[in-house]
Amino acid sequence: MSNEPNGFIKKYLILPVVSTAFFTLFLAGSCSRINQRTFVPFDKTRTISNDVEKFGEPFGIAVRDGEIFVSDGATGKIRRISNNQTFTLVSDKFDTPSGIAFDKNGNLIVADSETHTIKRLNVSNGEIELVAGVENQKGYADGNSNAALFNAPIGVAILEDVIFVADTYNDKIRVIENGKVMTIAGSEQGFADAERGFEAKFDTPCGLAIWQNKLLVADLENRRIRVVEIGGETRGKTWTLAGNGAENSTDGFLNQASFVAPTAITVDLFGAIYVADGNSIRAIGRKLFAAVETISDTKRGYADGDLRPSKFNSVSGLASDGSGNLFVADADNQAVRVLTGLDVGVEMTTETIKNSRFKPEEFRTLQPPRWTYNPPENKREIAGTPGEIRGEIKDADSQAWFHNGLDIVGGYGETARFIRHEKVLLPVSTENFATLRELIRMPTLGYIHIRLGRDATDKIFDDQRFQFSRDERGKLTNVRVPRGAKFAAGEAIGTLNSMNHVHLIAGRSGAEMNPLDALILPGASDVIAPTIEKVSLFDENWKPLGETESNTPRIKLNGKIRVVVRAYDRMDGNAERRKLSVYRVGYQVLQADKTPLSEINWTISFDRLPAAEAVKFVYAVGSKSGATGETIFNYIASNHVNGDEFREDFFDADSLENGNYILRVFASDFFGNQTTREIEIIVLK
């Protein structure tokens, strides 16, 4: 420590009290690097473009000798990327490959989650060798590697000849050494640090990394970064490095910071730690004090360019190379990205990203037509459509959000069924257990308001894909469906709760489409045109100027005008009280003799779900909707909102000459039925 700057030590001494073990370790590591390290000069995010074949789901990522290797959980493939641009197939013989890491001989160790095994891949010839576990047999057992059992392991890390495994759904950290498998930390699902490994508790541990001869664990559901001692008499000792357990993205000192969903973790050549936390990249050790910092945006999306505003979508893997680049497996964006200060990769434009997404016409071909119940061809009532407001907008501080799917009516306790063959890819695919919003999220479809894997009395199905937890009294407390679990169209998901419908989401998270467009639902039809209840005009400061219900023959306008349309739609077979969102809203200006001065300006569209932040750009004050109460959709038709952008805008009356005009407002449903309302206006500048 004698060569350590005094200021560095003082900064540590004024921190809040955290683990003594951490200070000893971090300071010791810092002594060797503090005077020589220049932190990785990340200044941008780019994409490693793949023009050959789109990833199904890039998950694990590892770098060796300038080459990048990526596991694809959706397709079972391992790919090599050479020169940051050339993609080749190494193997397509895996089921659901997850975490990957190189051993000292240059072989790739792969956690093949759905087969419950750890495998070794020779990257030169593609040969695969079983390292530990019994193919397709789930369980928990230590012992000889060919008889040991795992439960959908996700993470791997290697130190010398020892392989460490995050046995994710057994909630344990295992070690493979000298032909045997042994548990070094973890007892039951939960959270507990402990001096002895068998007393520690984890909850869905995922990513692993070696750090200063210790093991880092991304403990996903505990929302913490844990450390497991892996050498000497303290082997198995478990302590928390960072995170307080709260579910949010808060930077700060290690014991005050919080995480959303730490899934992957890596350490660069200088000892800095990087964490894949939901939709963002977090870092520890890039500064002279022990803190967690966020180095990307935290909002879901896809944006290259400057580092801090760059956006990701369910980051699942991280790997650092010798040049200071940080490679990212961006799972739900189906892309490999890189944080860099060099000329690596390409910067994707908004248009390129848009063109890379699934189109509804492509999506429709991925499954035979059916509803979410049996008989699969029987038409059901639609009770909610994408883009509808949920909550209420009373003022600027109101909390409201978009309805992101299709509500398909069923009966209480009725069995809900998958409409497509898919396998689970998210490490945590289920949420909100025993609430009205209990759900399962598949790669391209989501199902909400379902008692997963159980009937109306909470009796569990005879289906081992649903893994339940119980408390000491035997009461059900949670359900997990492991990564890699496969379901076929028509198989049971569970039963409807008191919401009495399946909320069906179409499209990947962050790229949701309108299910009416993306799916084929037998017999679904709509010949009922939307209803426009009222059109109101405001100046740019929201001062009322007039509405169609008033007796004023013409409304006088000048300057920037806001156009608000109160409208709703109905579908064939729906209850008359049922109000659904319209599909598109727009307007057109006509001369007094009704000669159009322009094409229809379709300003709001729900072909894809808009960004969450756009809700107040779509809906004006007074808008509200929910499971009960009145439904009011006040669309701000002068703004521009769709699945790719949102912005405030106006109808500019000053762009017209003084005189009489007609403002024609449009509301259209998905099936093409259209309603208009005309407002006579006079422009006086």
Side-chain angles (χ1 to χ4, degrees):
M1 295 290 292
S2 60
N3 63 346
E4 196 70 48
N6 291 333
F8 180 74
I9 297 175
K10 289 178 180 178
K11 286 187 177 182
Y12 275 104
L13 295 178
I14 62 173
L15 291 181
V17 176
V18 295
S19 169
T20 302
F22 167 76
F23 281 123
T24 302
L25 178 62
F26 197 90
L27 287 172
S30 299
C31 288
S32 64
R33 73 176 193 267
I34 192 68
N35 289 321
Q36 53 186 291
R37 166 157 191 173
T38 299
F39 287 111
V40 177
F42 297 148
D43 60 7
K44 57 181 171 290
T45 299
R46 289 188 171 184
T47 296
I48 306 299
S49 181
N50 181 8
D51 296 328
V52 179
E53 180 186 10
K54 190 175 183 64
F55 284 105
E57 182 236 23
F59 191 89
I61 191 165
V63 178
R64 184 181 176 91
D65 297 333
E67 294 185 316
I68 309 163
F69 292 78
V70 184
S71 67
D72 189 331
T75 65
K77 297 177 180 179
I78 305 289
R79 292 188 180 90
R80 174 195 282 113
I81 307 173
S82 304
N83 301 318
N84 296 319
Q85 61 183 5
T86 303
F87 287 70
T88 56
L89 178 67
V90 181
S91 174
D92 59 359
K93 305 301 183 187
F94 292 90
D95 187 298
T96 311
S98 298
I100 58 177
F102 279 101
D103 66 17
K104 66 180 183 180
N105 298 317
N107 297 308
L108 201 60
I109 302 301
V110 182
D112 197 12
S113 298
E114 171 60 359
T115 66
H116 312 289
T117 59
I118 306 300
K119 295 173 179 174
R120 179 181 290 111
L121 172 65
N122 185 320
V123 298
S124 298
N125 59 24
E127 291 182 357
I128 299 173
E129 176 189 359
L130 182 63
V131 176
V134 179
E135 192 84 7
N136 299 316
Q137 186 173 336
K138 170 176 68 70
Y140 169 62
D142 284 338
N144 291 333
S145 60
N146 60 356
L149 298 178
F150 298 87
N151 187 358
I154 287 180
V156 290
I158 301 172
L159 182 62
E160 300 297 335
D161 294 317
V162 182
I163 301 171
F164 298 93
V165 179
D167 192 2
T168 304
Y169 304 97
N170 278 326
D171 303 294
K172 293 175 172 60
I173 305 302
R174 317 280 292 279
V175 61
I176 306 171
E177 187 176 14
N178 299 323
K180 294 186 179 298
V181 176
M182 181 177 67
T183 301
I184 62 168
S187 52
E188 60 185 1
Q189 183 180 7
F191 170 71
D193 288 335
E195 292 290 322
R196 297 180 293 183
F198 63 85
E199 295 176 343
K201 294 180 183 180
F202 297 87
D203 190 343
T204 323
C206 286
L208 301 179
I210 303 297
W211 180 56
Q212 305 281 346
N213 293 320
K214 299 181 187 293
L215 187 69
L216 292 174
V217 182
D219 195 3
L220 196 157
E221 284 287 81
N222 278 322
R223 295 175 289 279
R224 292 175 170 93
I225 304 304
R226 315 285 293 283
V227 177
V228 177
E229 307 281 348
I230 56 178
E233 296 180 357
T234 62
R235 195 179 206 191
K237 177 182 177 180
T238 301
W239 47 280
T240 297
L241 172 65
N244 59 16
E247 188 177 2
N248 50 54
S249 185
T250 303
D251 290 346
F253 297 134
L254 298 178
N255 61 343
Q256 298 172 344
S258 59
F259 295 87
V260 174
T263 303
I265 192 164
T266 194
V267 182
D268 73 8
L269 292 178
F270 303 102
I273 300 166
Y274 295 92
V275 180
D277 187 26
N279 303 315
S280 66
I281 312 293
R282 317 287 294 281
I284 303 171
R286 284 164 47 97
K287 297 181 177 180
L288 293 182
F289 51 87
V292 176
E293 59 173 322
T294 303
I295 60 175
S296 71
D297 202 329
T298 58
K299 295 187 289 295
R300 182 189 304 275
Y302 193 153
D304 282 339
D306 291 343
L307 178 62
R308 190 61 184 85
S310 61
K311 294 182 180 180
F312 299 86
N313 190 356
S314 189
V315 182
S316 58
L318 298 171
S320 178
D321 71 1
S323 299
N325 300 305
L326 183 67
F327 294 95
V328 179
D330 192 3
D332 272 344
N333 280 330
Q334 300 175 275
V336 173
R337 318 274 295 283
V338 60
L339 278 58
T340 183
L342 306 173
D343 186 18
V344 178
V346 297
E347 184 171 328
M348 298 281 278
T349 66
T350 301
E351 190 65 23
T352 305
I353 294 168
K354 180 179 178 180
N355 291 336
S356 71
R357 292 176 180 156
F358 253 121
K359 307 297 187 296
E361 53 271 23
E362 298 174 278
F363 201 82
R364 288 194 293 267
T365 67
L366 299 182
Q367 90 292 325
R370 67 161 294 139
W371 291 84
T372 54
Y373 312 101
N374 280 344
E377 70 280 358
N378 278 18
K379 179 181 175 181
R380 295 293 184 121
E381 183 178 4
I382 301 297
T385 56
E388 294 178 2
I389 188 174
R390 290 295 182 263
E392 180 177 0
I393 297 183
K394 296 180 179 179
D395 52 41
D397 297 323
S398 297
Q399 296 298 311
W401 60 97
F402 288 119
H403 187 255
N404 70 341
L406 203 65
D407 289 345
I408 304 174
V409 175
Y412 178 79
E414 184 174 5
T415 300
R417 300 184 181 275
F418 291 97
I419 66 169
R420 171 182 299 174
H421 177 80
E422 285 194 284
K423 67 177 171 180
V424 169
L425 293 179
L426 287 172
V428 177
S429 61
T430 63
E431 297 179 33
N432 309 322
F433 182 76
T435 72
L436 292 179
R437 290 192 56 78
E438 189 171 339
L439 65 88
I440 184 167
R441 191 58 162 99
M442 306 299 282
T444 66
L445 293 163
Y447 306 82
I448 309 179
H449 306 314
I450 299 169
R451 293 184 196 86
L452 299 173
R454 58 201 195 279
D455 67 15
T457 67
D458 262 358
K459 180 181 178 181
I460 64 175
F461 294 169
D462 184 18
D463 188 336
Q464 293 189 7
R465 292 169 294 187
F466 296 95
Q467 299 184 13
F468 289 92
S469 303
R470 297 178 183 270
D471 62 18
E472 61 277 2
R473 296 169 297 176
K475 181 181 178 181
L476 295 176
T477 57
N478 194 25
V479 62
R480 293 186 292 191
V481 181
R483 175 174 165 81
K486 300 181 181 71
F487 294 90
E491 286 195 286
I493 312 171
T495 54
L496 298 189
N497 61 31
S498 59
M499 295 295 286
N500 296 324
H501 66 263
V502 172
H503 176 105
L504 180 64
I505 303 169
R508 291 182 176 272
S509 296
E512 292 87 350
M513 293 175 277
N514 192 311
L516 291 173
D517 194 11
L519 303 173
I520 300 175
L521 300 171
S525 63
D526 182 2
V527 297
I528 306 170
T531 297
I532 295 178
E533 299 178 282
K534 181 170 64 174
V535 178
S536 303
L537 303 181
F538 302 83
D539 70 11
E540 62 179 314
N541 297 313
W542 287 101
K543 176 184 176 182
L545 300 175
E547 57 188 39
T548 53
E549 291 182 340
S550 70
N551 296 320
T552 305
R554 287 192 181 273
I555 301 175
K556 297 178 181 179
L557 300 180
N558 62 75
K560 295 179 178 179
I561 307 301
R562 301 181 189 270
V563 182
V564 176
V565 182
R566 179 168 171 174
Y568 67 89
D569 189 33
R570 288 179 56 210
M571 286 186 66
D572 297 350
N574 276 21
E576 192 165 339
R577 61 179 171 80
R578 190 85 69 191
K579 292 183 178 181
L580 307 175
S581 173
V582 302
Y583 184 66
R584 292 194 299 178
V585 174
Y587 65 89
Q588 182 183 35
V589 180
L590 301 88
Q591 293 180 353
D593 62 1
K594 297 194 175 182
T595 301
L597 292 176
S598 63
E599 299 293 324
I600 302 172
N601 184 10
W602 292 109
T603 52
I604 296 175
S605 175
F606 295 125
D607 57 335
R608 290 183 179 271
L609 193 71
E613 304 91 328
V615 67
K616 292 183 181 179
F617 290 79
V618 173
Y619 292 106
V621 169
S623 298
K624 57 183 177 180
S625 178
T628 60
E630 187 179 14
T631 297
I632 297 174
F633 302 128
N634 287 327
Y635 302 98
I636 310 175
S638 46
N639 286 343
H640 283 262
V641 181
N642 54 47
D644 297 304
E645 63 172 349
F646 61 92
R647 69 178 190 273
E648 183 179 54
D649 206 348
F650 303 90
F651 161 49
D652 186 6
D654 286 352
S655 66
L656 302 173
E657 298 294 331
N658 286 346
N660 295 334
Y661 299 90
I662 294 172
L663 182 65
R664 181 181 289 166
V665 174
F666 295 80
S668 173
D669 62 29
F670 169 75
F671 294 87
N673 303 300
Q674 189 171 282
T675 298
T676 63
R677 178 72 67 90
E678 294 181 351
I679 309 170
E680 293 186 338
I681 62 174
I682 180 170
V683 174
L684 294 174
K685 294 181 281 188

